[in-house]
Structures are given as C-alpha cells and as structure tokens.
Amino acid sequence: MDRIRGEFIDIIEWTDDSRDTIVWRFPRHENEIKMGAKLVVRESQTAVFVNEGQIADVFTPGTYTLETQNLPVLSTLKGWKYGFHSPFKAEVYFVTTRQFTDLKWGTQNPVIVRDPEFGMVRLRAFGAFAARVVDAAALLRELAGTDPQFRTEEVQEYLRQLIVGRLANALATAGVPMLDLATRQDGLGARLAGALTEELAPVGIAVPKFIIENISLPPEVEAAVDARSRMGIVGNLDQYTQLQAADAIGDAARNPGAAGEGVGLGVGMALGRRMAEGLTPQQPPAAAPAPAATPAAPPPLPQQQWFIGVGGAQQGPYDSAALTGLISAGTLTRTTLVWQNGMSGWLPAEQVPEVERLFGSVPPPLPPQA
C-alpha cells in the first residue's frame, strides 16, 4: 500500500534556490498527480499545467486543492465532466514573475549618430536593465518550450540584441546634442524601456527598468572636448599660451634627451620673461598734447549722389566728379540711364541737365597717331 501511495503526488510546490531561473519544471517523472493534491504557488510565481503538449491551466499565487472545479480546461481534456476523481498525469511548470535586475547590456560595435555640432560621431554605451515575465503561457509557447530549467542566460543575448537595435534609433531620433546626453540618460532609458516592453509583449516579457550607465565618445572626440573645455576655463588666448608653455616645461622635464633640455630651457626663458613683464608695474601711456584750437569751419556742401545703369546692373552711388571720370573712361555715355533721389524714374544722361552739362567739360578722345 505504501508503494502504491508513493506513486501519487500529494503536494506540488517549488522553492527557488537560485537567482537566475525563469522556468522550472516540476519533476513528476512517471508519478501521477493525485486528484485532491495541494498546489502551492508562492508570490512571484505562476504555475502552468501542460497536458500532452497543450497548455491547460494557469494558476496565480495561492494554495489550491486540485479538483475538477478548479481545473476546468484540464478536466475538459480528460473528460471529467461528472466529478471523476482518478489520478492524472500532467507537466507542471513554475514560472518566476519577479524582476531579474542583474541583466547587463553593451554595444560591441559603436553606434554612428549625427550630431549638430560635431557631425557624425561613433558612440559606445553600456548599462543594465530589469526584465520580468508578464505572460507565463506566452513565454512557454515562444521561448522556453519544454526546457526543464530555463535560465536568464538563455534569453539575455536575445534581449541584448534587441536593445542594441533599438538604441541606435533612440539616439538618432532623440534630437539631443552629444554634450547633453549625460543629462538625458534617464529620459532615454524610460523611452527604451517602453519600446522594448512593446516589442517583447508577444513572448510574455516586459522591461520595467532600463538604465544607461555611460555613453562614451571616441578618443579623438574626447580630446577635442577637453581642449574646448580648457579654452573655456582659461578665458583668453594669452593665458592659454602660458598654460601651454607650462605643459611644455613638464613634458621637457620628463624627456631626458638633450633636445628636451633645450626645449625646456627655451620655453622656460620665454615664460620667465612673460612673468617678469607681468610683475613689472605698467606705466600708463603719456597723454598726447591737445591740438591747438583752430577756428571752426563750415561743413562741406552735400554732394549729389547718382546711380547709373551699365549692362543691366545698377552701379553707384557717384558724385559729379566721379561721373566726369566715368565719362572720360567711356563708361558713362549720353544714352546711359541715370537716377538720383527725387527723380520719378531712370532717364538717359542727355535728358538730365545736371549730367548732360558734364559731357561738355570732357575733351573728345585723341585722334589716331601716325
């Protein structure tokens, strides 16, 4: 009787002694689950019954007595329509629904983004994220299958690839300058968490927390940023030159060669002169003698300003003396259009008396010489 009683399972439960198990299959082997057995589902767990490869029932946290009334789907599959109380065989999977917070991610290859200030820049990033199962049945169908112990390491690489694929699009469409990414990491993390949760919904996984620990720049870009920040701290070019000279002295001191000593000596002498000039009190420049008072003269008469049209383009303004020179050069002819302030429109020069008089004061060109 004891041997026969041992063939039936009375209590079905799981106490997780690991930190990375997502799905654990109850080791039934050839035993049968006794009708009326106790099922204990703890907080952060979900129990899934699978009968002949088909998901039958899902149990949330609580303690259950396995009877036909709380196994509706499985009872229908087994034909227990009238309270039949025989033992049954079914696979029981416990699925952990707590958050797994020790998951890491990082970009193996740099992500290229377009920055408004630095142009195209290669970025690397790494951080951590949390994942949890929100649909145990979907997880078993899509990822875990019949694996008796499905761990985080089996799904972590799949999640990391999704993250890297989403990260490039998030950085490119965020519209955040590269120098401001550090202040916007929380917002980017929340945005990526929502996008990943939406994409992972068919497999029953959600990403409640996504953390960007660091976004690093290429060494050459970091050097440019450091130089720009030094310029901002120094304030003016003269002081920045002194700072460079001080750096050169330090580099020369670390160089044991004669060339390094000569460079260090020359830079040191130059810096010494600059320091001496800075310590020498500066005398204010002597005031220039005041010019002798001269009688006030009237201002010059205002000159008429003329515009001419040459080759379909406007030129000017010119005063009368300049017009005379243009006439001598042949640029301004009697048919050239002219205009000045007060005229209603452009007119040929020969129709404007003030300009037409200038043609009489210009001698004709010299005849050809033999």
Side-chain angles (χ1 to χ4, degrees), residues 210-258:
F210 189 89
I211 302 172
I212 301 176
E213 296 183 18
N214 182 58
I215 299 177
S216 60
L217 307 173
E220 59 272 14
V221 179
E222 290 183 352
V225 173
D226 291 341
R228 180 173 299 183
S229 63
R230 292 180 70 187
M231 286 288 291
I233 294 173
V234 169
N236 64 46
L237 186 59
D238 191 27
Q239 294 178 358
Y240 181 65
T241 304
Q242 296 179 13
L243 179 62
Q244 285 184 318
D247 291 342
I249 292 175
D251 294 338
R254 290 188 293 270
N255 185 1

Side-chain angles (χ1 to χ4, degrees), residues 126-160:
F126 64 87
F129 66 98
R132 67 182 303 175
V133 178
V134 293
D135 188 342
L139 178 72
L140 288 177
R141 283 193 298 264
E142 302 296 336
L143 290 181
T146 59
D147 192 341
Q149 192 169 10
F150 186 70
R151 297 179 178 273
T152 56
E153 62 184 14
E154 300 179 55
V155 73
Q156 186 170 1
E157 180 61 23
Y158 169 67
L159 296 178
R160 191 196 66 81

Side-chain angles (χ1 to χ4, degrees), residues 31-323:
N31 296 344
E32 292 183 335
I33 300 173
K34 179 181 178 180
M35 184 62 65
K38 297 293 184 182
L39 171 65
V40 180
V41 183
R42 291 173 170 79
E43 291 291 343
S44 75
Q45 290 180 351
T46 298
V48 181
F49 278 67
V50 178
N51 177 68
E52 297 180 358
Q54 181 178 357
I55 294 177
D57 291 289
V58 179
F59 292 85
T60 55
T63 300
Y64 304 88
T65 300
L66 299 181
E67 299 286 352
T68 54
Q69 59 267 24
N70 56 25
L71 290 168
V73 179
L74 187 59
S75 300
T76 302
L77 294 175
K78 291 293 185 181
W80 296 326
K81 300 180 181 179
Y82 305 102
F84 187 58
H85 284 73
S86 66
F88 63 92
K89 289 186 177 181
E91 296 177 338
V92 182
Y93 291 87
F94 284 90
V95 180
T96 303
T97 57
R98 68 173 179 85
Q99 290 191 30
F100 293 90
T101 59
D102 55 348
L103 303 177
K104 305 293 184 181
W105 66 272
T107 55
Q108 294 181 352
N109 298 316
V111 177
I112 300 178
V113 298
R114 186 182 299 276
D115 185 77
E117 186 173 359
F118 293 91
M120 289 188 296
V121 181
R122 294 177 289 109
L123 300 177
R124 293 182 182 271
F126 64 87
F129 66 98
R132 67 182 303 175
V133 178
V134 293
D135 188 342
L139 178 72
L140 288 177
R141 283 193 298 264
E142 302 296 336
L143 290 181
T146 59
D147 192 341
Q149 192 169 10
F150 186 70
R151 297 179 178 273
T152 56
E153 62 184 14
E154 300 179 55
V155 73
Q156 186 170 1
E157 180 61 23
Y158 169 67
L159 296 178
R160 191 196 66 81
Q161 292 174 357
L162 284 180
I163 289 170
V164 174
R166 285 284 185 174
L167 181 65
N169 181 67
L171 292 176
T173 59
V176 180
M178 185 184 63
L179 298 181
D180 297 333
L181 284 176
T183 62
R184 302 287 295 275
Q185 288 181 182
D186 290 343
L188 287 174
R191 179 178 176 182
L192 284 170
L196 292 171
T197 298
E198 182 180 354
E199 186 163 348
L200 292 171
V203 298
I205 297 177
V207 179
K209 189 66 175 178
F210 189 89
I211 302 172
I212 301 176
E213 296 183 18
N214 182 58
I215 299 177
S216 60
L217 307 173
E220 59 272 14
V221 179
E222 290 183 352
V225 173
D226 291 341
R228 180 173 299 183
S229 63
R230 292 180 70 187
M231 286 288 291
I233 294 173
V234 169
N236 64 46
L237 186 59
D238 191 27
Q239 294 178 358
Y240 181 65
T241 304
Q242 296 179 13
L243 179 62
Q244 285 184 318
D247 291 342
I249 292 175
D251 294 338
R254 290 188 293 270
N255 185 1
E261 296 176 358
V263 172
L265 180 60
V267 174
M269 293 176 62
L271 182 60
R273 288 196 300 269
R274 297 300 303 271
M275 293 177 64
E277 293 174 359
L279 294 175
T280 303
Q282 300 293 327
Q283 298 295 332
T294 56
L301 293 173
Q303 297 288 330
Q304 290 181 324
Q305 301 295 320
W306 295 91
F307 294 87
I308 67 174
V310 178
Q314 173 184 311
Q315 296 183 8
Y318 302 110
D319 56 12
S320 299
L323 292 182

